């Protein structure tokens, strides 16, 4: 790539990939880059910075199939745009204790997603049980360690 300003050009430089880090422009470029991601899924998708979460109420096996289809679509989207999904950072959180709701193992590519327990996101600890106790204990422990 090279830079052009008013008809003057810099030399060519090889760019391996990505968005310039720690620049004012980086978040905007990334948002433009991933702007079409929500069009690829049927579930609700929540995106913040470089994280995306798909959410769906699971009432029957068809809902499970739709979630897996959305995961497959996101993998195809990432492959198309030469992005890699870090499966080790992906988790399944199945909230609630309904015995009637089907439970399923979900995959990203050939890798099974881990699940259960707790997910920490933007500093908030969320548990499948929806109990705030773990988050509160973590905040209190952090407060006591300051000093």
């Amino acid at each position: 790539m090279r830079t052009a300003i008013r008809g003057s050009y810099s030399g060519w430089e090889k760019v391996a990939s990505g968005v310039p880090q720690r620049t004012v422009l980086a978040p905007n470029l990334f948002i433009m880059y991933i702007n079409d991601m929500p069009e690829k899924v049927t579930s609700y998708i929540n995106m913040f910075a470089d994280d995306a979460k798909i959410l769906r109420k699971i009432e029957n096996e068809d809902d499970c199939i739709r979630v897996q289809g959305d995961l497959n679509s996101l993998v195809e989207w990432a492959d198309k745009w030469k992005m890699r999904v870090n499966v080790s950072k992906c988790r399944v959180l199945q909230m609630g204790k309904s015995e009637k709701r089907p439970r399923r193992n979900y995959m990203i590519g050939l890798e099974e997603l881990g699940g259960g327990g707790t997910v920490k996101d933007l500093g908030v600890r969320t548990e499948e049980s929806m109990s705030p106790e773990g988050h509160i204990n973590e905040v209190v422990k952090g407060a006591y360690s300051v000093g």
Side-chain angles (χ1 to χ4, degrees), residues 38 40-45 54-56 63 66-67 70:
K40 305 302 175 192
V41 298
T42 60
S43 299
Y44 174 79
I45 187 167
I54 60 173
L55 302 105
R56 179 180 285 276
D63 292 328
R66 286 185 185 99
V67 168
D70 287 341

Side-chain angles (χ1 to χ4, degrees), residues 11-94:
W12 287 97
E13 295 292 328
K14 183 176 177 155
V15 176
S17 68
V19 172
Q21 296 295 304
R22 294 172 294 283
T23 65
V24 174
L25 191 56
N28 292 329
L29 290 173
F30 187 77
I31 288 167
M32 287 188 289
Y33 193 69
I34 65 167
N35 192 43
D36 66 331
M37 186 191 292
E39 298 169 11
K40 305 302 175 192
V41 298
T42 60
S43 299
Y44 174 79
I45 187 167
N46 186 2
M47 298 189 311
F48 181 79
D50 63 347
D51 287 334
K53 292 174 184 33
I54 60 173
L55 302 105
R56 179 180 285 276
K57 183 176 182 180
I58 303 296
E59 296 181 306
N60 53 50
E61 188 62 30
D62 288 341
D63 292 328
C64 295
I65 292 167
R66 286 185 185 99
V67 168
Q68 185 59 60
D70 287 341
L71 292 170
N72 297 343
S73 294
L74 290 175
V75 169
E76 289 172 15
W77 177 90
D79 288 345
K80 175 184 175 185
W81 294 110
K82 309 286 190 248
M83 295 179 79
R84 191 182 44 148
V85 176
N86 187 343
V87 179
S88 69
K89 291 185 174 182
C90 298
R91 305 283 296 163
V92 175
L93 191 62
Q94 298 186 46

Side-chain angles (χ1 to χ4, degrees), residues 128-142:
E128 283 189 343
S129 67
M130 295 302 294
S131 169
E133 183 177 352
H135 178 72
I136 292 168
N137 289 341
E138 194 170 292
V139 170
V140 169
K141 181 180 174 185

Side-chain angles (χ1 to χ4, degrees), residues 58 90-99 101-106 113-120 124-135:
I58 303 296
C90 298
R91 305 283 296 163
V92 175
L93 191 62
Q94 298 186 46
M95 298 178 186
K97 296 182 180 182
S98 173
E99 298 292 328
R101 183 182 58 225
R103 296 207 177 241
R104 174 183 247 215
N105 295 329
Y106 295 99
L113 293 178
T118 302
V119 173
K120 192 166 185 178
V124 177
R125 180 178 164 154
T126 305
E127 299 183 23
E128 283 189 343
S129 67
M130 295 302 294
S131 169
E133 183 177 352
H135 178 72

